[in-house]
Every structure is written in structure tokens, then in C-alpha cells.
């Protein structure tokens, strides 16, 4: 009976009703976005912090709608996740990223975000295998990023999924490490190759100031990750000082606006050509 009354409330609350209509319109537009080819892949560079060399790119999806303009992934990804549309987007992203990375020098990798629903889908390993076969990309050039929040509900299924992917020869990274209610025990429980420290840890950092708590925690996560044999990357590098700090604590890799914004595939190829001569130190 309680459910019914909630339903009735919804129908008669004009504001809630209009936001539901707006949401449904958004869902319709997302469905159409595939056919109308409104999705595009952008690529953001990642660097080796000591050598300054380009190591790879993270693929990030963009949605350009003729009326809505550019809609951020933080808006449409959660909706696609709820409506299971993320599976189709995920396949599209994976295939597109692998095909694009095939044009890059073989020592560069492409990192692809894997959504919680994909991680739980046992068929996803087949999707990976197909993307690798169709693109002819070397498995070690593909990195799959999964977010920490997915692992919160302890589940053996996810562990064996990750192990299956690893057998295909791809790299696996844990994204957004330290964000929210994270448990560092995941780092040893799952076979990750890389951990990506959440960008919130760099936010408060300023050179010359006493180290704030976030900077100290970042340092500790770097040490922990390296002790466990993982590659450690920090995201959200926006200033030279932040990069310098990462180098001083020996964080392996860095990604952020200071080093390069997400860019279309064509620009990424140009970026690769230029970066070959751009080393620091
Ligand atoms: P994420 O995986 O943590 O991706 C990094 C986000 O940080 C990107 O936002 C990127 O543009 C942004 N970023 C990069 N450098 C900086 C910086 O220096 N400062 C700041 N403030 N931000 C920076 P974006 O592209 O808007 O993506 C947001 C989230 O949407 C991603 O977070 C990811 O969770 C999700 N997402 C994006 N593309 C995909 C995709 O293809 N598949 C799935 N499943 N999720 C995706
Ligand atoms: Ca990511
Ligand atoms: Ca992240
Ligand atoms: Ca995220």
C-alpha cells in the first residue's frame, strides 16, 4: 500500500512529474545518440613522471547533442548504467579505443573505463576478446579501468572476472583509489597491475606550504602500491607543483590537464608525434 501511495504522490506532484518527463526525454535522446553517431571518443595522455615520456591514453566518451550541447559523462553514464544501455556503449567504446590504439606506436597503451554492470557481466570477457581480435591490438596495449566502489560489496564473481581478463593478457587498473569509503585491502585482494589515485588528493596541494593530510595520504598510497608491486598513477594533475610533488614521492605516472586535456583521436595522433621529442629532465 505504501508503494502505491508513493506512486500517486509522484503523479500529482507537478514538479516531480516534469522532472520525470525531462528524464525520459534524456533517455530517449541517449538511445538516439547511437544511431545519430553523436558519441565520440576523446583521449587523455598519461606520462611516466621520471622520464617525462608519454606512456598511453585514457579513452573518455563525449556526447555532443545538437540541442543539449555537450553533455558530461557524469550525467549520462549513470543513466545508461540504470537502463542497461551502458553495455552497448561499453562495447562501442572498447572497440573504438582498440581500433584507434592500433594506429599508435606499440609501446603506448589505451585505458578503457569499464562500468560496474560490465564487470558483473560474465560475457564481457568475450567482448574484450572480440575487440582485441577485430582490432589486432596487442593485449598488453589494452588496460581496463574499474572503479573501487564496485568492489565494495565483496563478491567472488568479480574477482574471477578480473582473473579471466588477465588471462587474455590485458592490464587491469583500479580507478579512483582512496575516494569514498575505500578499503586498501582491495589492493592485495585483486590482481591489479596499476592503481590510480583519485584526483581529490591533489586538489589541496600547493608547493611551499606544509604538507596537508591529502598529500601525506597520497604519498602513503604510492608507497603501499609500489610495495605491492603495482604501477601507481595520479590523476588530476593541474599544476607544475603538483607534478613536482608526484616526482618527489616517486609516483610512477601522471595524468591531468597540466599535462594534456582529453582530445579527439586525430589530435591524439598529432600529440604522439610531437611528444616523441618532449622529455623532461
Ligand atoms: P574518470 O574515469 O575518473 O575520468 C577522469 C575524469 O577526470 C575525466 O572526466 C577527465 O576529463 C577528468 N580530468 C582529467 N584531468 C583532470 C584534471 O587535471 N582536473 C580535473 N578537475 N579533471 C580532470 P570526464 O571525461 O568528464 O569523465 C567523468 C567520468 O565519466 C569518468 O571518470 C568515468 O567514470 C566516466 N566515463 C567517461 N568515459 C567513460 C566510458 O567510456 N565508459 C564508462 N563506463 N565510464 C566513462
Ligand atoms: Ca578512469
Ligand atoms: Ca578516476
Ligand atoms: Ca570516476
Amino acid at each position: 500500500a505504501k508503494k502505491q501511495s508513493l506512486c500517486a504522490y509522484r503523479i500529482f506532484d507537478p514538479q516531480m512529474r516534469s522532472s520525470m518527463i525531462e528524464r525520459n526525454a534524456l533517455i530517449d535522446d541517449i538511445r538516439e545518440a547511437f544511431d545519430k553517431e553523436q558519441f565520440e571518443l576523446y583521449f587523455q595522455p598519461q606520462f611516466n613522471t621520471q622520464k617525462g615520456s608519454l606512456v598511453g591514453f585514457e579513452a573518455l566518451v563525449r556526447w555532443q547533442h545538437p540541442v543539449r550541447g555537450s553533455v558530461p559523462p557524469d550525467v549520462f553514464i549513470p543513466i545508461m548504467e540504470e537502463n542497461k544501455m551502458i553495455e552497448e556503449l561499453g562495447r562501442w567504446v572498447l572497440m573504438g579505443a582498440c581500433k584507434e590504439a592500433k594506429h599508435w606506436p606499440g609501446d603506448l597503451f589505451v585505458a578503457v573505463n569499464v562500468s560496474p554492470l560490465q564487470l558483473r557481466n560474465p560475457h564481457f570477457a568475450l567482448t574484450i576478446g572480440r575487440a582485441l581480435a577485430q582490432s589486432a591490438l596487442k593485449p598488453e596495449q589494452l588496460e581496463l579501468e574499474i572503479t573501487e566502489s564496485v568492489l565494495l560489496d565483496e563478491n567472488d564473481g568479480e574477482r574471477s572476472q578480473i582473473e579471466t581478463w588477465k588471462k587474455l593478457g590485458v592490464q587491469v587498473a583500479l580507478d579512483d583509489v582512496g575516494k569514498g569509503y575505500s578499503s586498501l585491502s582491495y589492493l592485495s585482494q585483486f590482481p591489479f597491475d596499476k592503481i590510480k589515485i583519485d584526483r581529490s588528493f591533489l586538489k589541496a596541494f600547493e608547493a611551499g606550504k606544509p604538507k596537508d593530510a591529502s598529500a601525506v595520504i597520497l604519498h602513503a598510497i604510492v608507497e603501499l602500491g609500489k610495495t605491492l608491486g603495482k604501477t601507481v598513477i595520479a590523476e588530476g594533475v593541474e599544476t607544475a607543483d603538483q607534478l613536482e610533488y608526484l616526482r618527489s614521492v616517486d609516483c610512477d605516472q601522471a595524468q591531468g590537464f597540466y599535462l594534456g586535456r582529453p582530445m579527439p583521436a586525430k589530435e591524439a595522433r598529432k600529440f604522439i608525434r610531437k611528444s616523441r621529442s618532449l622529455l623532461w629532465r
Side-chain angles (χ1 to χ4, degrees), residues 213-224:
S214 311
V216 175
I217 295 170
L218 185 146
H219 189 178
I221 299 176
V222 171
E223 302 260 283
L224 178 64

Side-chain angles (χ1 to χ4, degrees), residues 46-102:
Q46 300 184 345
F47 292 84
N48 174 309
T49 46
Q50 299 307 325
K51 296 188 216 152
S53 52
L54 179 69
V55 290
F57 290 87
E58 176 177 8
L60 293 159
V61 69
R62 292 289 175 263
W63 178 27
Q64 189 67 39
H65 185 268
V67 179
R68 297 177 187 275
S70 167
V71 186
D74 287 334
V75 171
F76 64 85
I77 297 271
I79 294 176
M80 295 185 86
E81 185 82 29
E82 278 170 41
N83 292 276
K84 315 242 179 223
M85 291 187 277
I86 195 74
E87 307 252 359
E88 186 178 355
L89 182 75
R91 281 192 296 271
W92 181 85
V93 168
L94 188 64
M95 190 61 79
C98 288
K99 284 191 168 155
E100 183 55 30
K102 182 65 189 167

